[in-house]
Structures are given as structure tokens and as C-alpha cells.
Amino acid sequence: MSWLLDPFHYPFMRMGFLAVFFVGITCATIGVYVVLRRMAFIGDALAHTVLPGIVIAYFYGWNLFWGALAAGLITALGIGWLSRRQELREDTAIGVMFTGMFALGILMMSTVRSFRDFQAILFGNVLGITPANVVLLAVVAVLVLGVLFVLFKEMELVSYDPNFAAVIGLKTESLRYVLLVLLAFTVVSGIQAVGVVLTSALLITPAAAASLLTDRLPRMMLLSSGFAVLGGVAGLYISYYFPVSSGASIVLACTVIFGVAYALRAIRSRRSSREQQAG
Amino acid sequence: MFKKRLLTYSGCHHPPPVRDAPALEVEDLCAQYERSGVAALRDIGLRVERGERVALVGPNGAGKSTLLKVVANLLPMRSGRAAIFGHPVGTCHHRVSFLPQRSELDWRFPVNVERLITAGRYVHMGWLRRPASADRELVARSIELLQLDHLRERQIGDLSGGQQQRAILARTLVQNAELLLLDEPLNAVDARTRGIITDVLVRLKEEGKTVLMATHDIGRLESDFDQAVFLVDGRQVDGPPNQPPPGILS
């Protein structure tokens, strides 16, 4: 049992566990909408487009979180604006913003002498997270989950029948912007844990695993959060006991959970088709 | 008053109908597709009295769905006027219920039949409110009327086409609106569903509801409707009362 408790003797591990908890539940809950509304590309794009904001914040000595958040919000609103009248398909708008902002980030990074300064941002460093950043992650979690809870019935309706939602007076465009802005907050908090390159995995993989096991939206969100926290904790243990990257371990642990969920789903489908044949 | 104003989706108080105004009045209405700019409706004029059932008849691409969507405030007018109970479209959300074509919903989204139908009550609940017992009672009645009792817990994606059609019609009914805009509710449904929906239309007439319905079914225009409006290529065409002009559906 002592191997389970050992990591908790270290403050950086305690902070890490708290961080993956907050990041996990936030990413996994909004991730359900990302998966169901087929917005996976947006999550990936947002994670990459925060780069110029981070580099600017680094240049001026600001907190990188706020730089990333500013760039994330610009991207989210830019995607919404470019595709608002369907003159451009949403995935095309994302492609334009994604590559443009990422290229700007790389261009700005190339003016810095050492890439190592940005390593934590690119690949995540949850074990180096400060108590102040954990508080920020908690605030983001409360904000995102609070808004999703308050707007639950409206977000649900607009996700599967936007026309009916508009007929009863809901501003479907505004709700889309709300979701994009929440996504920007979520992605920026995810970057603290697993970095720019792997954040979209935290959004998508636990939610995709949950969607294989249940067809109730609230249950899917709870299950997805559970998977993300489980993957985060497992990843931290792996990186504690083996000299491997914490971000990659967390994502791989989530991928294993997805594999198990996929296998369970396959077994369940086979069993039910066998029962149908017998019946 | 302030609380109610704050909680409605439209952000404003639901206005009462203008006295003696028809349920729907459309004058010289023109609309175009936003992306292409191609005219979708030209000079449409229409007056639907309260309690009337009106059929919109025409071939595919005639503009039936577009007209319904303009009245539902889903598509903008380019010119002309449309009023619902004397108010401009988009100000009487609770009085107008819209039945979309089945293909417009994402049926794979994880929602069960009861929850889908409950969405018909949202316009009366507004922000932050959850269904009250009166809402649940209306939902239960609507489920019973459309014979969906045994399917209430089922995921919408697991329903047959006819069951899906009945589920969204139940949602339209549960709104308890006075003007119902129905976009081809009888399209591609089985005989049983057709029978149930036809009974519902008769019941709506008895309850004094106004119905504007897009349909291909010209066989029952005279028995099921008070008036028929014929559309071809976005234009209104005249025909003898309740009889489509020759060749309109060819």
C-alpha cells in the first residue's frame, strides 16, 4: 500500500494530483459536447493556437496562463465569426485560424534563443505546477462546469436541434460562442497538465470512452470525468515511478481506458446480438 | 414582471395577440437563400384565420419549407411583411410551434423520447427553470396521444422513422402553441403513423388551433384542410379552391 501513498509525501505531487483532478473534470465534461457535436478539430486547433499568446506573455514576463487564454479567446471568437453565416464551413474556418495562429507562434518562438523555455508549454509539466496555478485551474473548473450546469437544457437542445431551439427564441449563435469561449478556458487549463500537443486528447479520449458505455448525457459527463481523473492519476503514478513524461503518461493512460471501454462495448454488443438471435 | 422578462429566451415579455388580427398574415413576401443569394420565395401573399388549417402544396423545391422557416423566423425576409397574431415574426415564440423535417435533427445525440418531447415546454420555462409537474403532465398526455408510451425511455436514435416523426410531433403539440407550422409530417411514414398523425390533425381543428402544413398529399386536401396554397419555384400559383393546378406535382 505504501507505493500508493508515497507520492503524496511530496508537495509537487500533491499539487499535480489536484491539477489533474480539476483539469480532468473540466476537459472531460465539455469534451462530451466536443465529441457529440463533432468539434474534435476545434479542441486540437485551440490548443495549438494559444502559442502566440504564450510567447508574447513570455516576452513581457507575464503569466503564461493569461497569454494563452487571450490567444484562445481570440481563436474561439475568430472561428465563430468566420463561420457565422456559413459562408465558410466551420472546419475550414478552424483550419485557417489554426494554421495562421500556430505559424505566428512558431515565428515568434524562432526569435527566442532557446526552445527549452517553451518545453513545459509544448509537452506539459503538471509536476511543476504552482499552488497559484492550481487555484486558477479550480476557478476555471468552477466557471466552466457552472455555466454548463446552468445552461444544460439549452446546450443539449441546441446540440441536436438548433432550428427548433431558434424557433423558441434561443440565440443559437450566442450559445455557440459561449461553448467556444468555455472551450478556450478549458484548453488553456489542459495545457498546464499535458501541454499544447496533447491537450485535445484530454478533451476527446475520456468523452469518447464514456460515449461507448452510456447513452445518457449526464451519465456520460460523469463517466467521462471519472475516466479523465483516473487517467490523470494513473499517469502521475507512472511518471513518479518511471522516468517518463507526465503529460504523455496521462494521455496514454486515458487511451488505455478508451481501449477497455471499446472492448467492453464490443462484448456487450456481441452478447446482445446473441440474445436477440436466441430470442 | 422583471423576473419573467429576465428569464424568457427572447429577453422580452410575450405579447398578447392583437385583437381581431388573423393567426398569420403574409404580404408580398420575398426571401432568398443566404449563401447563394438566389430568390427562394417571390411575392407570397397569404391570410390564415385563427382556427384554420391551411395546406402548402407544391413539388420539391417549390418553397414550402422556406415559407414555413420564414414564418418561424429561421430565415430572414428580403422584403414584404409577415405578422403572427398581429405581431412581427420572432416576437411570439410561445404561440408558434414548428415541426421540422426529420432530417434536420441529429438523431444520434443521446436524448430519450421523453426528454425530446419535454423540450417543447422550454419556451414556457425560459432560462434556469426545470420542468414543473404541470409540464410533465402535458408531456405525458402528448406521449399518450401519439402512442409513444412504451418508447418514452428509448433513445431517439433507436426509433423507427415513423416513431421519430411522432416524437417530434408530440414535442410540437406539448408546446400548446396556437399556430402550428408543420413541415411534411406525413412524408415517408408508415400507415399506422399516418393514421395517428391524421387523427391529431383532426383533434387540432377541434381545439381551434391554426395549422399551416407543407404536404405532398393532394388526395385529402378537401377533407383535411380549409384552404390550400400552391407554390411552384418559389411563386404562388392560383388554382381552383382545394384543387391543385394540373401538373403541379408532376
Side-chain angles (χ1 to χ4, degrees):
Chain A
M1 273 309 270
S2 67
W3 68 271
L4 270 177
L5 297 175
D6 263 0
F8 286 94
H9 292 138
Y10 300 97
F12 69 90
M13 284 302 290
R14 289 200 293 271
M15 287 299 117
F17 280 118
L18 276 175
V20 295
F21 173 76
F22 290 124
V23 168
I25 57 171
T26 316
C27 284
T29 305
I30 201 167
V32 169
Y33 281 117
V34 171
V35 167
L36 294 175
R37 294 173 62 138
R38 300 173 198 93
M39 296 164 71
F41 190 30
I42 289 189
D44 201 23
L46 273 172
H48 284 76
T49 54
V50 297
L51 205 54
I54 289 168
V55 181
I56 290 173
Y58 174 81
F59 280 157
Y60 288 97
W62 302 332
N63 187 333
L64 301 188
F65 179 91
W66 297 112
L69 186 61
L73 290 175
I74 290 169
T75 308
L77 299 175
I79 290 168
W81 186 78
L82 275 176
S83 58
R84 71 197 186 288
R85 292 199 191 281
Q86 296 177 343
E87 281 156 1
L88 266 187
R89 282 168 58 106
E90 190 171 78
D91 57 346
T92 311
I94 296 165
V96 172
M97 291 296 291
F98 174 6
T99 47
M101 294 282 276
F102 197 53
L104 181 65
I106 291 171
L107 190 127
M108 291 161 87
M109 270 175 73
S110 64
T111 64
V112 181
R113 282 197 197 132
S114 168
F115 263 41
R116 291 186 62 166
D117 297 318
F118 297 107
Q119 203 166 3
I121 293 297
L122 286 175
F123 302 108
N125 183 20
V126 72
L127 300 179
I129 211 153
T130 63
N133 271 354
V134 171
V135 171
L136 263 180
L137 297 182
V139 170
V140 169
V142 169
L143 172 82
V144 172
L145 299 181
V147 173
L148 289 181
F149 179 76
V150 167
L151 300 180
F152 183 81
K153 71 179 195 300
E154 290 79 14
M155 279 292 181
E156 181 190 60
L157 176 61
V158 92
S159 298
Y160 69 85
D161 194 353
N163 275 352
F164 183 78
V167 171
I168 64 172
L170 276 170
K171 306 277 182 287
T172 54
E173 272 301 290
S174 305
L175 283 172
R176 198 164 75 96
Y177 277 113
V178 169
L179 194 62
L180 286 172
V181 167
L182 293 180
L183 202 51
F185 272 95
T186 306
V187 162
V188 171
S189 74
I191 285 170
Q192 309 272 316
V194 295
V196 163
V197 181
L198 296 174
T199 292
S200 64
L202 274 191
L203 280 173
I204 297 158
T205 312
S211 72
L212 292 172
L213 298 180
T214 180
D215 47 16
R216 296 279 191 276
L217 188 57
R219 206 181 297 166
M220 201 179 284
M221 288 174 167
L222 284 175
L223 207 53
S224 174
S225 299
F227 288 160
V229 172
L230 181 66
V233 169
L236 278 189
Y237 273 108
I238 292 167
S239 67
Y240 179 79
Y241 286 106
F242 303 96
V244 291
S245 149
S246 55
S249 305
I250 290 169
V251 171
L252 279 179
C254 289
T255 311
V256 169
I257 291 170
F258 175 83
V260 172
Y262 191 86
L264 282 174
R265 165 78 173 225
I267 292 167
R268 201 199 282 172
S269 318
R270 202 171 299 166
R271 195 181 294 162
S272 74
S273 65
R274 217 177 285 156
E275 279 168 5
Q276 271 177 357
Q277 278 173 354
Chain B
M1 169 76 85
F2 176 72
K3 197 175 174 192
K4 196 167 186 182
R5 196 174 275 251
L6 198 70
L7 290 176
T8 57
Y9 289 143
S10 56
C12 58
H13 183 61
H14 292 147
V18 172
R19 211 173 151 199
D20 298 331
L24 173 67
E25 194 169 25
V26 173
E27 287 172 5
D28 304 323
L29 186 145
C30 295
Q32 64 184 37
Y33 297 113
E34 267 190 81
R35 289 184 69 179
S36 60
V38 172
L41 293 173
R42 278 171 283 191
D43 304 322
I44 304 294
L46 169 68
R47 185 181 168 98
V48 183
E49 297 299 337
R50 296 181 195 190
E52 262 193 325
R53 289 181 302 174
V54 177
L56 288 177
V57 188
N60 288 334
K64 305 185 295 293
S65 298
T66 307
L67 179 55
L68 288 176
K69 283 182 176 171
V70 170
V71 175
N73 201 31
L74 286 171
L75 292 174
M77 278 176 273
R78 198 182 64 191
S79 61
R81 192 182 85 91
I84 295 169
F85 295 103
H87 297 287
V89 293
T91 49
C92 295
H93 297 291
H94 64 307
R95 281 184 220 287
V96 182
S97 193
F98 177 63
L99 177 88
Q101 289 198 17
R102 220 162 55 224
S103 58
E104 291 178 20
L105 276 79
D106 179 0
W107 292 99
R108 286 186 295 176
F109 200 85
V111 174
N112 68 18
V113 170
E114 188 170 18
R115 183 129 186 113
L116 174 114
I117 296 170
T118 305
R121 297 301 302 159
Y122 288 0
V123 68
H124 300 287
M125 290 179 219
W127 299 109
L128 305 175
R129 290 192 189 147
R130 292 178 185 284
S133 58
D135 298 311
R136 283 194 290 271
E137 205 174 296
L138 281 168
V139 170
R141 236 184 287 160
S142 189
I143 285 175
E144 196 183 335
L145 184 66
L146 272 301
Q147 300 181 22
L148 293 163
D149 308 61
H150 60 298
L151 301 169
R152 62 196 310 155
E153 288 291 321
R154 190 170 293 181
Q155 289 301 298
I156 56 172
D158 295 336
L159 301 176
S160 69
Q163 290 165 341
Q164 288 178 345
Q165 191 67 58
R166 278 188 274 151
I168 50 175
L169 181 57
R171 182 182 66 177
T172 311
L173 297 182
V174 93
Q175 189 177 327
N176 213 6
E178 286 143 73
L179 172 61
L180 290 94
L181 310 171
L182 311 179
D183 198 354
E184 310 221 23
L186 298 171
N187 197 19
V189 293
D190 54 279
R192 181 174 172 232
T193 296
R194 181 173 281 264
I196 294 169
I197 293 176
T198 307
D199 288 347
V200 166
L201 292 174
V202 171
R203 198 185 163 112
L204 288 172
K205 171 76 176 170
E206 288 165 2
E207 289 174 359
K209 305 282 187 189
T210 313
V211 175
L212 182 60
M213 177 171 137
T215 180
H216 275 106
D217 190 356
I218 55 167
R220 296 175 61 94
L221 284 185
E222 208 154 335
S223 57
D224 292 352
F225 296 95
D226 303 301
Q227 199 191 138
V229 174
F230 305 105
L231 295 171
V232 175
D233 292 334
R235 288 181 192 277
Q236 205 168 346
V237 291
D238 292 327
N242 291 344
Q243 297 250 327
I248 192 171
L249 295 178
S250 61

